[in-house]
Amino acid sequence: MNVCIIGAGYVGLTTAAVLAKLGHTVHCIDENEQKIAALQRGEIPIYEPRLAELFTDHQSRLFSHHDGQKHIQEADVIFICVGTPPDVKGKPDVSYVNRAIDMLIPHVSDHQTLVMKSTVPIGTNERIYERLKNEGKHVRVVSNPEFLREGSAVYDSFHPDRIVIGLRDDDDRSLSVMQTLYAGIHAPYVVTSLSGAEMIKYAANAFLATKISFINEMARLCDTYGVDVVDVAKGIGLDGRIGPHFLQAGIGYGGSCFPKDVTALIQMAYEQMVRPYMLEATKAVNDTQINWYVQKMKRTLGELAGRRIAVLGIAFKPNTDDIRESPAVLLINKLHAHGADVIAHDPKATLPHDVAVKQAKTIDEAVKKADALIVATDWDAYKQLNWEEVKRMMNGNAVIDGRNSLPREAIMNAGLHYIGVGRR
């Protein structure tokens, strides 16, 4: 198939690479000329495992353009993969989606299928269909939300748990188009309405965020009762009705999806006069998790002012350079505001320009002479540190495991003081 993708961001680039691997010809279009120029030079603007290799291996079927009128007209399928960032109230800003539709309207024709990958408010795809229809464009509209985890997006694309397809009741062709497009990917199809697919996306992210906030709240209780939250997570996670995933206590969730989508769903509920008590609680726990953990550090370490604190991790999770809504960045800012001398490190991510904290080039540079060490992002490199060597480099002895991912016994055997989240 001939595929056109509007938006060369995280979702757009991953989708493009995967479809090219499946044998389709893919044209990426983005209004950012610098991004397109980088792609045309073979440079991928984001870090995602295996993504650059896919672009290299299938460059004969992958193309990038700033002006894509010709490729829009020739496409069998057009994907919209633009951002929907929150506005000041937390509602999704669909202006990029609207601009994409504005650009498409003069060039699309009735034989084409328009696929929405962007996370959009419930009812958006129906409105897009009606707008196209009013413009005399009888284009089929499909809602096909993505469920990719940053850091494993390529793997998730080839091994999805499900493929969600939202269709209008009168659309008898688009399902077969999507099945042809994804031929070679084996997963159950969930076929629903356009609004149903939009709701599935929000509900999935909200539920996962809720599991994280739940175990973080349990970790607070575990601290007060001297119970190990890791034992609790294992004990409840073995229950098949609960499952073990997303039950790792830590300093909170972040990234481009969970915070945005939970807030968006709350706002959509308010608009329908529904009080979303559980979503409000999920957000409240996450919003206060960093403050709770900083207070725990103060109780353990005393005053933070003047203390040299090494923070390992800047990205919101490992295997990505994404710092959007990163709890690690929030923690760094909080420690700096308390007067700590903070030095940060990350294998891939870079601190924002407005964060007045030094970023070390190596782990050793960050750890040297530190009074305390905090692991804020659970990169494998941090889990595999030589803790005897860490002890020799540090001035202090506090190792603070903000992700409950470090080898506690090895740290304690090295003569260091281990502090976890809800750990005994």
PDB file of all heavy atoms in Angstrom, residues 53-84:
ATOM      1  N   GLU A  53      17.518   1.682  13.203  1.00  0.00           N
ATOM      2  CA  GLU A  53      17.875   0.541  12.362  1.00  0.00           C
ATOM      3  C   GLU A  53      16.778   0.248  11.337  1.00  0.00           C
ATOM      4  O   GLU A  53      17.079  -0.070  10.176  1.00  0.00           O
ATOM      5  CB  GLU A  53      18.129  -0.695  13.233  1.00  0.00           C
ATOM      6  CG  GLU A  53      19.383  -0.626  14.081  1.00  0.00           C
ATOM      7  CD  GLU A  53      19.205   0.127  15.378  1.00  0.00           C
ATOM      8  OE1 GLU A  53      18.138   0.740  15.570  1.00  0.00           O
ATOM      9  OE2 GLU A  53      20.126   0.121  16.207  1.00  0.00           O
ATOM     10  N   LEU A  54      15.531   0.368  11.736  1.00  0.00           N
ATOM     11  CA  LEU A  54      14.438   0.135  10.795  1.00  0.00           C
ATOM     12  C   LEU A  54      14.454   1.163   9.673  1.00  0.00           C
ATOM     13  O   LEU A  54      14.224   0.827   8.505  1.00  0.00           O
ATOM     14  CB  LEU A  54      13.092   0.180  11.523  1.00  0.00           C
ATOM     15  CG  LEU A  54      12.684  -1.069  12.307  1.00  0.00           C
ATOM     16  CD1 LEU A  54      11.350  -0.839  13.002  1.00  0.00           C
ATOM     17  CD2 LEU A  54      12.575  -2.285  11.390  1.00  0.00           C
ATOM     18  N   PHE A  55      14.721   2.412  10.022  1.00  0.00           N
ATOM     19  CA  PHE A  55      14.782   3.446   8.985  1.00  0.00           C
ATOM     20  C   PHE A  55      15.928   3.176   8.016  1.00  0.00           C
ATOM     21  O   PHE A  55      15.796   3.391   6.808  1.00  0.00           O
ATOM     22  CB  PHE A  55      14.935   4.829   9.628  1.00  0.00           C
ATOM     23  CG  PHE A  55      13.628   5.546   9.824  1.00  0.00           C
ATOM     24  CD1 PHE A  55      12.811   5.251  10.900  1.00  0.00           C
ATOM     25  CD2 PHE A  55      13.204   6.497   8.921  1.00  0.00           C
ATOM     26  CE1 PHE A  55      11.601   5.897  11.081  1.00  0.00           C
ATOM     27  CE2 PHE A  55      11.996   7.146   9.074  1.00  0.00           C
ATOM     28  CZ  PHE A  55      11.187   6.846  10.161  1.00  0.00           C
ATOM     29  N   THR A  56      17.052   2.699   8.541  1.00  0.00           N
ATOM     30  CA  THR A  56      18.191   2.386   7.669  1.00  0.00           C
ATOM     31  C   THR A  56      17.893   1.176   6.790  1.00  0.00           C
ATOM     32  O   THR A  56      18.153   1.190   5.580  1.00  0.00           O
ATOM     33  CB  THR A  56      19.444   2.114   8.518  1.00  0.00           C
ATOM     34  OG1 THR A  56      19.757   3.287   9.273  1.00  0.00           O
ATOM     35  CG2 THR A  56      20.630   1.761   7.638  1.00  0.00           C
ATOM     36  N   ASP A  57      17.336   0.145   7.395  1.00  0.00           N
ATOM     37  CA  ASP A  57      17.100  -1.102   6.663  1.00  0.00           C
ATOM     38  C   ASP A  57      16.037  -0.949   5.569  1.00  0.00           C
ATOM     39  O   ASP A  57      16.065  -1.695   4.577  1.00  0.00           O
ATOM     40  CB  ASP A  57      16.674  -2.210   7.624  1.00  0.00           C
ATOM     41  CG  ASP A  57      17.783  -2.616   8.578  1.00  0.00           C
ATOM     42  OD1 ASP A  57      18.940  -2.255   8.320  1.00  0.00           O
ATOM     43  OD2 ASP A  57      17.482  -3.280   9.595  1.00  0.00           O
ATOM     44  N   HIS A  58      15.110  -0.016   5.751  1.00  0.00           N
ATOM     45  CA  HIS A  58      13.995   0.094   4.811  1.00  0.00           C
ATOM     46  C   HIS A  58      13.916   1.489   4.188  1.00  0.00           C
ATOM     47  O   HIS A  58      12.828   1.966   3.849  1.00  0.00           O
ATOM     48  CB  HIS A  58      12.683  -0.264   5.524  1.00  0.00           C
ATOM     49  CG  HIS A  58      12.705  -1.613   6.155  1.00  0.00           C
ATOM     50  ND1 HIS A  58      12.638  -2.781   5.418  1.00  0.00           N
ATOM     51  CD2 HIS A  58      12.859  -1.998   7.449  1.00  0.00           C
ATOM     52  CE1 HIS A  58      12.712  -3.823   6.240  1.00  0.00           C
ATOM     53  NE2 HIS A  58      12.847  -3.384   7.472  1.00  0.00           N
ATOM     54  N   GLN A  59      15.082   2.094   4.024  1.00  0.00           N
ATOM     55  CA  GLN A  59      15.110   3.456   3.483  1.00  0.00           C
ATOM     56  C   GLN A  59      14.570   3.533   2.060  1.00  0.00           C
ATOM     57  O   GLN A  59      14.131   4.603   1.620  1.00  0.00           O
ATOM     58  CB  GLN A  59      16.531   4.005   3.540  1.00  0.00           C
ATOM     59  CG  GLN A  59      17.576   3.159   2.858  1.00  0.00           C
ATOM     60  CD  GLN A  59      18.972   3.703   3.082  1.00  0.00           C
ATOM     61  OE1 GLN A  59      19.219   4.896   2.937  1.00  0.00           O
ATOM     62  NE2 GLN A  59      19.895   2.828   3.462  1.00  0.00           N
ATOM     63  N   SER A  60      14.566   2.428   1.342  1.00  0.00           N
ATOM     64  CA  SER A  60      14.038   2.445  -0.029  1.00  0.00           C
ATOM     65  C   SER A  60      12.528   2.619  -0.059  1.00  0.00           C
ATOM     66  O   SER A  60      11.947   2.915  -1.112  1.00  0.00           O
ATOM     67  CB  SER A  60      14.419   1.153  -0.759  1.00  0.00           C
ATOM     68  OG  SER A  60      13.813   0.028  -0.126  1.00  0.00           O
ATOM     69  N   ARG A  61      11.858   2.430   1.100  1.00  0.00           N
ATOM     70  CA  ARG A  61      10.402   2.586   1.171  1.00  0.00           C
ATOM     71  C   ARG A  61       9.976   3.697   2.125  1.00  0.00           C
ATOM     72  O   ARG A  61       8.781   3.869   2.379  1.00  0.00           O
ATOM     73  CB  ARG A  61       9.745   1.265   1.602  1.00  0.00           C
ATOM     74  CG  ARG A  61       9.826   0.170   0.556  1.00  0.00           C
ATOM     75  CD  ARG A  61       8.890  -0.985   0.873  1.00  0.00           C
ATOM     76  NE  ARG A  61       9.270  -1.683   2.090  1.00  0.00           N
ATOM     77  CZ  ARG A  61      10.122  -2.701   2.133  1.00  0.00           C
ATOM     78  NH1 ARG A  61      10.699  -3.117   1.010  1.00  0.00           N
ATOM     79  NH2 ARG A  61      10.397  -3.306   3.261  1.00  0.00           N
ATOM     80  N   LEU A  62      10.951   4.428   2.680  1.00  0.00           N
ATOM     81  CA  LEU A  62      10.651   5.475   3.656  1.00  0.00           C
ATOM     82  C   LEU A  62      11.114   6.835   3.124  1.00  0.00           C
ATOM     83  O   LEU A  62      12.293   7.013   2.804  1.00  0.00           O
ATOM     84  CB  LEU A  62      11.363   5.185   4.979  1.00  0.00           C
ATOM     85  CG  LEU A  62      10.665   4.222   5.940  1.00  0.00           C
ATOM     86  CD1 LEU A  62      11.629   3.772   7.025  1.00  0.00           C
ATOM     87  CD2 LEU A  62       9.431   4.868   6.567  1.00  0.00           C
ATOM     88  N   PHE A  63      10.188   7.796   3.083  1.00  0.00           N
ATOM     89  CA  PHE A  63      10.505   9.110   2.541  1.00  0.00           C
ATOM     90  C   PHE A  63       9.945  10.194   3.468  1.00  0.00           C
ATOM     91  O   PHE A  63       8.913   9.992   4.114  1.00  0.00           O
ATOM     92  CB  PHE A  63       9.929   9.262   1.137  1.00  0.00           C
ATOM     93  CG  PHE A  63      10.348   8.161   0.196  1.00  0.00           C
ATOM     94  CD1 PHE A  63       9.542   7.035   0.028  1.00  0.00           C
ATOM     95  CD2 PHE A  63      11.552   8.231  -0.491  1.00  0.00           C
ATOM     96  CE1 PHE A  63       9.923   6.001  -0.823  1.00  0.00           C
ATOM     97  CE2 PHE A  63      11.944   7.198  -1.338  1.00  0.00           C
ATOM     98  CZ  PHE A  63      11.125   6.099  -1.511  1.00  0.00           C
ATOM     99  N   SER A  64      10.624  11.336   3.509  1.00  0.00           N
ATOM    100  CA  SER A  64      10.213  12.435   4.380  1.00  0.00           C
ATOM    101  C   SER A  64      10.085  13.706   3.556  1.00  0.00           C
ATOM    102  O   SER A  64      10.940  13.990   2.708  1.00  0.00           O
ATOM    103  CB  SER A  64      11.236  12.634   5.506  1.00  0.00           C
ATOM    104  OG  SER A  64      11.401  11.437   6.252  1.00  0.00           O
ATOM    105  N   HIS A  65       9.031  14.479   3.822  1.00  0.00           N
ATOM    106  CA  HIS A  65       8.760  15.678   3.031  1.00  0.00           C
ATOM    107  C   HIS A  65       8.207  16.788   3.913  1.00  0.00           C
ATOM    108  O   HIS A  65       7.514  16.531   4.905  1.00  0.00           O
ATOM    109  CB  HIS A  65       7.730  15.387   1.933  1.00  0.00           C
ATOM    110  CG  HIS A  65       7.950  14.105   1.195  1.00  0.00           C
ATOM    111  ND1 HIS A  65       8.809  13.993   0.123  1.00  0.00           N
ATOM    112  CD2 HIS A  65       7.435  12.857   1.392  1.00  0.00           C
ATOM    113  CE1 HIS A  65       8.795  12.748  -0.316  1.00  0.00           C
ATOM    114  NE2 HIS A  65       7.971  12.036   0.437  1.00  0.00           N
ATOM    115  N   HIS A  66       8.508  18.009   3.525  1.00  0.00           N
ATOM    116  CA  HIS A  66       7.889  19.159   4.172  1.00  0.00           C
ATOM    117  C   HIS A  66       6.584  19.516   3.460  1.00  0.00           C
ATOM    118  O   HIS A  66       5.583  19.858   4.092  1.00  0.00           O
ATOM    119  CB  HIS A  66       8.849  20.354   4.158  1.00  0.00           C
ATOM    120  CG  HIS A  66       8.251  21.590   4.763  1.00  0.00           C
ATOM    121  ND1 HIS A  66       7.885  22.676   4.018  1.00  0.00           N
ATOM    122  CD2 HIS A  66       7.927  21.884   6.046  1.00  0.00           C
ATOM    123  CE1 HIS A  66       7.370  23.604   4.815  1.00  0.00           C
ATOM    124  NE2 HIS A  66       7.386  23.152   6.045  1.00  0.00           N
ATOM    125  N   ASP A  67       6.585  19.448   2.156  1.00  0.00           N
ATOM    126  CA  ASP A  67       5.393  19.716   1.351  1.00  0.00           C
ATOM    127  C   ASP A  67       4.962  18.401   0.702  1.00  0.00           C
ATOM    128  O   ASP A  67       5.657  17.883  -0.169  1.00  0.00           O
ATOM    129  CB  ASP A  67       5.698  20.762   0.280  1.00  0.00           C
ATOM    130  CG  ASP A  67       4.481  21.117  -0.558  1.00  0.00           C
ATOM    131  OD1 ASP A  67       3.393  20.591  -0.252  1.00  0.00           O
ATOM    132  OD2 ASP A  67       4.616  21.914  -1.506  1.00  0.00           O
ATOM    133  N   GLY A  68       3.822  17.877   1.122  1.00  0.00           N
ATOM    134  CA  GLY A  68       3.461  16.530   0.672  1.00  0.00           C
ATOM    135  C   GLY A  68       2.203  16.439  -0.152  1.00  0.00           C
ATOM    136  O   GLY A  68       1.544  15.393  -0.168  1.00  0.00           O
ATOM    137  N   GLN A  69       1.833  17.525  -0.856  1.00  0.00           N
ATOM    138  CA  GLN A  69       0.580  17.523  -1.607  1.00  0.00           C
ATOM    139  C   GLN A  69       0.470  16.328  -2.550  1.00  0.00           C
ATOM    140  O   GLN A  69      -0.533  15.619  -2.555  1.00  0.00           O
ATOM    141  CB  GLN A  69       0.471  18.823  -2.413  1.00  0.00           C
ATOM    142  CG  GLN A  69      -0.732  18.874  -3.343  1.00  0.00           C
ATOM    143  CD  GLN A  69      -0.789  20.183  -4.125  1.00  0.00           C
ATOM    144  OE1 GLN A  69      -0.266  21.199  -3.704  1.00  0.00           O
ATOM    145  NE2 GLN A  69      -1.441  20.144  -5.285  1.00  0.00           N
ATOM    146  N   LYS A  70       1.519  16.066  -3.316  1.00  0.00           N
ATOM    147  CA  LYS A  70       1.511  14.978  -4.284  1.00  0.00           C
ATOM    148  C   LYS A  70       1.320  13.626  -3.589  1.00  0.00           C
ATOM    149  O   LYS A  70       0.564  12.770  -4.051  1.00  0.00           O
ATOM    150  CB  LYS A  70       2.819  14.996  -5.074  1.00  0.00           C
ATOM    151  CG  LYS A  70       3.039  13.818  -6.021  1.00  0.00           C
ATOM    152  CD  LYS A  70       4.341  13.998  -6.785  1.00  0.00           C
ATOM    153  CE  LYS A  70       4.606  12.836  -7.745  1.00  0.00           C
ATOM    154  NZ  LYS A  70       4.925  11.600  -7.002  1.00  0.00           N
ATOM    155  N   HIS A  71       1.984  13.450  -2.466  1.00  0.00           N
ATOM    156  CA  HIS A  71       1.951  12.156  -1.779  1.00  0.00           C
ATOM    157  C   HIS A  71       0.621  11.947  -1.054  1.00  0.00           C
ATOM    158  O   HIS A  71       0.173  10.807  -0.892  1.00  0.00           O
ATOM    159  CB  HIS A  71       3.133  12.063  -0.823  1.00  0.00           C
ATOM    160  CG  HIS A  71       4.441  12.328  -1.512  1.00  0.00           C
ATOM    161  ND1 HIS A  71       4.976  11.462  -2.438  1.00  0.00           N
ATOM    162  CD2 HIS A  71       5.286  13.391  -1.433  1.00  0.00           C
ATOM    163  CE1 HIS A  71       6.113  11.962  -2.895  1.00  0.00           C
ATOM    164  NE2 HIS A  71       6.321  13.118  -2.305  1.00  0.00           N
ATOM    165  N   ILE A  72      -0.013  13.034  -0.631  1.00  0.00           N
ATOM    166  CA  ILE A  72      -1.351  12.931  -0.055  1.00  0.00           C
ATOM    167  C   ILE A  72      -2.332  12.447  -1.117  1.00  0.00           C
ATOM    168  O   ILE A  72      -3.143  11.549  -0.882  1.00  0.00           O
ATOM    169  CB  ILE A  72      -1.799  14.291   0.521  1.00  0.00           C
ATOM    170  CG1 ILE A  72      -0.952  14.654   1.750  1.00  0.00           C
ATOM    171  CG2 ILE A  72      -3.284  14.264   0.883  1.00  0.00           C
ATOM    172  CD1 ILE A  72      -1.151  16.075   2.237  1.00  0.00           C
ATOM    173  N   GLN A  73      -2.227  13.020  -2.283  1.00  0.00           N
ATOM    174  CA  GLN A  73      -3.152  12.666  -3.364  1.00  0.00           C
ATOM    175  C   GLN A  73      -2.974  11.213  -3.810  1.00  0.00           C
ATOM    176  O   GLN A  73      -3.947  10.556  -4.187  1.00  0.00           O
ATOM    177  CB  GLN A  73      -2.933  13.607  -4.555  1.00  0.00           C
ATOM    178  CG  GLN A  73      -3.323  15.050  -4.267  1.00  0.00           C
ATOM    179  CD  GLN A  73      -2.894  16.006  -5.369  1.00  0.00           C
ATOM    180  OE1 GLN A  73      -2.034  15.682  -6.182  1.00  0.00           O
ATOM    181  NE2 GLN A  73      -3.486  17.194  -5.380  1.00  0.00           N
ATOM    182  N   GLU A  74      -1.761  10.706  -3.742  1.00  0.00           N
ATOM    183  CA  GLU A  74      -1.475   9.360  -4.237  1.00  0.00           C
ATOM    184  C   GLU A  74      -1.645   8.269  -3.180  1.00  0.00           C
ATOM    185  O   GLU A  74      -1.574   7.079  -3.492  1.00  0.00           O
ATOM    186  CB  GLU A  74      -0.049   9.311  -4.787  1.00  0.00           C
ATOM    187  CG  GLU A  74       0.165  10.191  -6.017  1.00  0.00           C
ATOM    188  CD  GLU A  74       1.607  10.189  -6.484  1.00  0.00           C
ATOM    189  OE1 GLU A  74       2.473   9.650  -5.734  1.00  0.00           O
ATOM    190  OE2 GLU A  74       1.880  10.721  -7.569  1.00  0.00           O
ATOM    191  N   ALA A  75      -1.881   8.654  -1.933  1.00  0.00           N
ATOM    192  CA  ALA A  75      -1.923   7.677  -0.842  1.00  0.00           C
ATOM    193  C   ALA A  75      -3.210   6.855  -0.862  1.00  0.00           C
ATOM    194  O   ALA A  75      -4.287   7.350  -1.199  1.00  0.00           O
ATOM    195  CB  ALA A  75      -1.782   8.386   0.498  1.00  0.00           C
ATOM    196  N   ASP A  76      -3.074   5.584  -0.495  1.00  0.00           N
ATOM    197  CA  ASP A  76      -4.250   4.747  -0.245  1.00  0.00           C
ATOM    198  C   ASP A  76      -4.788   5.005   1.160  1.00  0.00           C
ATOM    199  O   ASP A  76      -5.993   5.038   1.391  1.00  0.00           O
ATOM    200  CB  ASP A  76      -3.882   3.268  -0.368  1.00  0.00           C
ATOM    201  CG  ASP A  76      -3.343   2.922  -1.741  1.00  0.00           C
ATOM    202  OD1 ASP A  76      -4.040   3.192  -2.731  1.00  0.00           O
ATOM    203  OD2 ASP A  76      -2.215   2.395  -1.819  1.00  0.00           O
ATOM    204  N   VAL A  77      -3.852   5.163   2.087  1.00  0.00           N
ATOM    205  CA  VAL A  77      -4.204   5.368   3.495  1.00  0.00           C
ATOM    206  C   VAL A  77      -3.422   6.564   4.011  1.00  0.00           C
ATOM    207  O   VAL A  77      -2.216   6.686   3.757  1.00  0.00           O
ATOM    208  CB  VAL A  77      -3.884   4.124   4.343  1.00  0.00           C
ATOM    209  CG1 VAL A  77      -4.258   4.358   5.801  1.00  0.00           C
ATOM    210  CG2 VAL A  77      -4.607   2.896   3.803  1.00  0.00           C
ATOM    211  N   ILE A  78      -4.090   7.443   4.757  1.00  0.00           N
ATOM    212  CA  ILE A  78      -3.454   8.615   5.353  1.00  0.00           C
ATOM    213  C   ILE A  78      -3.604   8.515   6.868  1.00  0.00           C
ATOM    214  O   ILE A  78      -4.725   8.389   7.384  1.00  0.00           O
ATOM    215  CB  ILE A  78      -4.095   9.918   4.849  1.00  0.00           C
ATOM    216  CG1 ILE A  78      -3.996  10.012   3.320  1.00  0.00           C
ATOM    217  CG2 ILE A  78      -3.432  11.130   5.507  1.00  0.00           C
ATOM    218  CD1 ILE A  78      -4.832  11.125   2.723  1.00  0.00           C
ATOM    219  N   PHE A  79      -2.476   8.542   7.575  1.00  0.00           N
ATOM    220  CA  PHE A  79      -2.478   8.531   9.033  1.00  0.00           C
ATOM    221  C   PHE A  79      -2.279   9.949   9.568  1.00  0.00           C
ATOM    222  O   PHE A  79      -1.424  10.686   9.068  1.00  0.00           O
ATOM    223  CB  PHE A  79      -1.337   7.661   9.570  1.00  0.00           C
ATOM    224  CG  PHE A  79      -1.606   6.186   9.557  1.00  0.00           C
ATOM    225  CD1 PHE A  79      -1.375   5.434   8.419  1.00  0.00           C
ATOM    226  CD2 PHE A  79      -2.085   5.549  10.690  1.00  0.00           C
ATOM    227  CE1 PHE A  79      -1.613   4.081   8.394  1.00  0.00           C
ATOM    228  CE2 PHE A  79      -2.322   4.186  10.686  1.00  0.00           C
ATOM    229  CZ  PHE A  79      -2.088   3.446   9.541  1.00  0.00           C
ATOM    230  N   ILE A  80      -3.025  10.296  10.600  1.00  0.00           N
ATOM    231  CA  ILE A  80      -2.774  11.539  11.347  1.00  0.00           C
ATOM    232  C   ILE A  80      -2.124  11.152  12.661  1.00  0.00           C
ATOM    233  O   ILE A  80      -2.695  10.432  13.479  1.00  0.00           O
ATOM    234  CB  ILE A  80      -4.064  12.329  11.583  1.00  0.00           C
ATOM    235  CG1 ILE A  80      -4.628  12.815  10.240  1.00  0.00           C
ATOM    236  CG2 ILE A  80      -3.801  13.522  12.506  1.00  0.00           C
ATOM    237  CD1 ILE A  80      -5.888  13.635  10.360  1.00  0.00           C
ATOM    238  N   CYS A  81      -0.883  11.634  12.837  1.00  0.00           N
ATOM    239  CA  CYS A  81      -0.082  11.285  14.028  1.00  0.00           C
ATOM    240  C   CYS A  81       0.492  12.540  14.668  1.00  0.00           C
ATOM    241  O   CYS A  81       1.668  12.574  15.032  1.00  0.00           O
ATOM    242  CB  CYS A  81       1.040  10.331  13.646  1.00  0.00           C
ATOM    243  SG  CYS A  81       0.515   8.772  12.912  1.00  0.00           S
ATOM    244  N   VAL A  82      -0.321  13.580  14.805  1.00  0.00           N
ATOM    245  CA  VAL A  82       0.159  14.835  15.384  1.00  0.00           C
ATOM    246  C   VAL A  82      -0.143  14.875  16.876  1.00  0.00           C
ATOM    247  O   VAL A  82      -0.953  14.094  17.390  1.00  0.00           O
ATOM    248  CB  VAL A  82      -0.478  16.044  14.673  1.00  0.00           C
ATOM    249  CG1 VAL A  82      -0.081  16.059  13.200  1.00  0.00           C
ATOM    250  CG2 VAL A  82      -1.991  16.032  14.818  1.00  0.00           C
ATOM    251  N   GLY A  83       0.482  15.794  17.572  1.00  0.00           N
ATOM    252  CA  GLY A  83       0.319  15.895  19.016  1.00  0.00           C
ATOM    253  C   GLY A  83      -1.001  16.533  19.417  1.00  0.00           C
ATOM    254  O   GLY A  83      -1.588  17.327  18.672  1.00  0.00           O
ATOM    255  N   THR A  84      -1.466  16.169  20.610  1.00  0.00           N
ATOM    256  CA  THR A  84      -2.652  16.799  21.201  1.00  0.00           C
ATOM    257  C   THR A  84      -2.300  17.193  22.640  1.00  0.00           C
ATOM    258  O   THR A  84      -2.803  16.602  23.589  1.00  0.00           O
ATOM    259  CB  THR A  84      -3.868  15.854  21.182  1.00  0.00           C
ATOM    260  OG1 THR A  84      -3.503  14.589  21.792  1.00  0.00           O
ATOM    261  CG2 THR A  84      -4.330  15.599  19.760  1.00  0.00           C
TER     262      THR A  84
END
